[in-house]
Amino acid sequence: MSAKNVKGPGGKKPASAATNLIAGGSAGMMEALVCHPLDTIKVRMQLSRRARAPGAKRRGFLTTGREIVRKETPLALYKGLGAVMTGIVPKMAIRFTSYEWYKQMLANKETGAVSGQATFFAGLAAGVTEAVLVVTPMEVIKIRLQAQYHSMADPLDVPQYRNAAHALYTVLREEGFGAIYRGVALTALRQGSNQAVNFSAYTEFKALLQKWQPAYQEKELPSYQTMLIGLVSGAMGPLSNAPIDTIKTRLQKTPAREGETAISRVRVIAGDMFKQEGFHAFYKGITPRIMRVAPGQAVTFTVYEYLKEKLEHSNMAIVGGKYEE
């Protein structure tokens, strides 16, 4: 199917919500399994408060990763994976289904053509939607688990949160329902900008490759090409909003103080980071984040496009809908 048109060739029905659910959920699970260790390293780097003192060495992602493995065993790299896996299926289902729905709404009603502006706003809206419905609660629990410094090889070293379910129960009991939505505005801003850039870049690259290769004008690109453009488009989002992600991580890691608003906490966190750690602190964890997000998007788009095509050509009773591609 053409990258910039919601109508299929020969009146072909668009992919259904069920197809997006299965393909998107499977792609998300594969991405989490492959890339989660890098996310744990990124979170630890963002939570590090090593000041820029004279002679102090900056702790890079390789050093951080080695210390986690040495002190807490390799399994520690998968802390918070339960929270991610629990939310990844609805997250990806919401991302791809809502993106296609918003894109259909913004497309030309007669020709089905989708402009670059429509793609950008469809991605932005899809990112905000997934942030509010799934990503914010999932990330609060994930970050609480990842921030724990304990050895998973020592049974006597009992952490505050034993697993994702226990972390959710503890946070709700001790801090209330609002705690799992701490940082929702920043998360929505991060996810919205991420998906706006991600889908826009992916669509432009895909359209360009289809233009250069007429044989793929009305069908999916080869998997290696999908992986390549997914990798490049996936790297663009983190570069555009790294400070937002770092502030969000610190905001979600700690309980709220009485009488302190979210905006004031963001101001305090950002001010303290700049004063104590310097401007570079806002970009802590950018290397592992790109290394996590870019390959993650490569895996996600490749698996999603592959499974969607297979499901559409299978004998399964998954019919197309009005609002999907």
Side-chain angles (χ1 to χ4, degrees):
M1 181 174 287
S2 174
K4 295 188 175 184
N5 200 298
V6 294
K7 292 185 178 180
K12 175 186 173 184
K13 285 187 175 182
S16 68
T19 297
N20 285 322
L21 171 64
I22 296 170
S26 300
M29 285 189 287
M30 185 63 69
E31 177 205 2
L33 288 171
V34 172
C35 302
H36 189 76
L38 289 168
D39 187 69
T40 299
I41 295 171
K42 179 211 75 169
V43 168
R44 288 292 181 88
M45 289 181 70
Q46 289 178 330
L47 294 176
S48 171
R49 296 181 182 275
R50 289 167 66 92
R52 194 167 58 180
K57 292 183 179 179
R58 294 181 183 177
R59 186 174 294 168
F61 74 94
L62 287 177
T63 302
T64 303
R66 279 197 300 266
E67 287 192 1
I68 292 172
V69 171
R70 181 173 60 86
K71 295 179 180 178
E72 306 170 51
T73 79
L75 287 176
L77 293 172
Y78 284 91
K79 284 180 179 179
L81 181 61
V84 174
M85 294 295 283
T86 301
I88 203 72
V89 173
K91 170 186 171 180
M92 289 301 177
I94 289 168
R95 174 181 297 179
F96 284 104
T97 304
S98 63
Y99 169 69
E100 299 294 346
W101 185 70
Y102 291 128
K103 190 168 71 170
Q104 177 74 26
M105 288 179 61
L106 296 170
N108 185 290
K109 302 305 180 185
E110 296 180 0
T111 65
V114 183
S115 66
Q117 186 179 31
T119 300
F120 181 88
F121 282 111
L124 179 68
V128 172
T129 302
E130 71 177 20
V132 173
L133 296 181
V134 179
V135 177
T136 303
M138 180 183 76
E139 291 224 335
V140 169
I141 301 305
K142 174 182 73 72
I143 289 169
R144 295 294 180 92
L145 289 166
Q146 290 174 322
Q148 297 184 126
Y149 292 83
H150 74 286
S151 173
M152 299 183 75
D154 184 359
L156 298 179
D157 190 0
V158 180
Q160 181 182 4
Y161 308 115
R162 295 193 295 271
N163 50 50
H166 180 251
L168 176 62
Y169 171 76
T170 304
V171 170
L172 289 175
R173 184 189 64 188
E174 296 180 356
E175 302 174 46
F177 180 78
I180 64 173
Y181 274 93
R182 187 164 297 134
V184 63
L186 288 174
T187 304
L189 183 59
R190 186 199 67 176
Q191 292 300 115
S193 57
N194 257 351
Q195 300 316 315
V197 172
N198 190 22
F199 279 115
S200 294
Y202 180 81
T203 300
E204 291 297 328
F205 289 139
K206 183 177 179 180
L208 190 61
L209 288 176
Q210 287 179 326
K211 181 180 178 181
W212 288 347
Q213 303 170 103
Y216 294 103
Q217 187 65 44
E218 297 297 342
K219 63 180 183 179
E220 296 304 329
L221 296 169
S223 294
Y224 78 91
Q225 294 185 15
T226 301
M227 183 172 291
L228 179 62
I229 61 177
L231 182 75
V232 176
S233 63
M236 293 182 175
L239 290 171
S240 67
N241 58 22
I244 296 171
D245 187 57
T246 303
I247 296 171
K248 176 200 72 68
T249 298
R250 296 201 179 186
L251 180 70
Q252 291 177 327
K253 189 252 182 182
T254 55
R257 297 171 185 169
E258 189 175 349
E260 192 176 39
T261 65
I263 295 176
S264 65
R265 289 195 70 209
V266 169
R267 270 203 305 263
V268 169
I269 289 170
D272 287 346
M273 284 173 62
F274 185 76
K275 290 176 185 176
Q276 298 174 14
E277 304 167 63
F279 180 75
H280 79 280
F282 292 97
Y283 286 86
K284 278 186 175 180
I286 186 64
T287 300
R289 187 178 174 215
I290 291 175
M291 288 182 66
R292 190 249 183 265
V293 174
Q297 290 305 306
V299 171
T300 299
F301 277 117
T302 303
V303 175
Y304 172 76
E305 298 280 19
Y306 175 80
L307 289 179
K308 186 175 78 166
E309 184 179 24
K310 292 297 181 185
L311 289 170
E312 287 180 317
H313 289 86
S314 71
N315 294 323
M316 295 176 65
I318 301 178
V319 297
K322 180 179 178 182
Y323 293 110
E324 289 81 34
E325 181 175 347

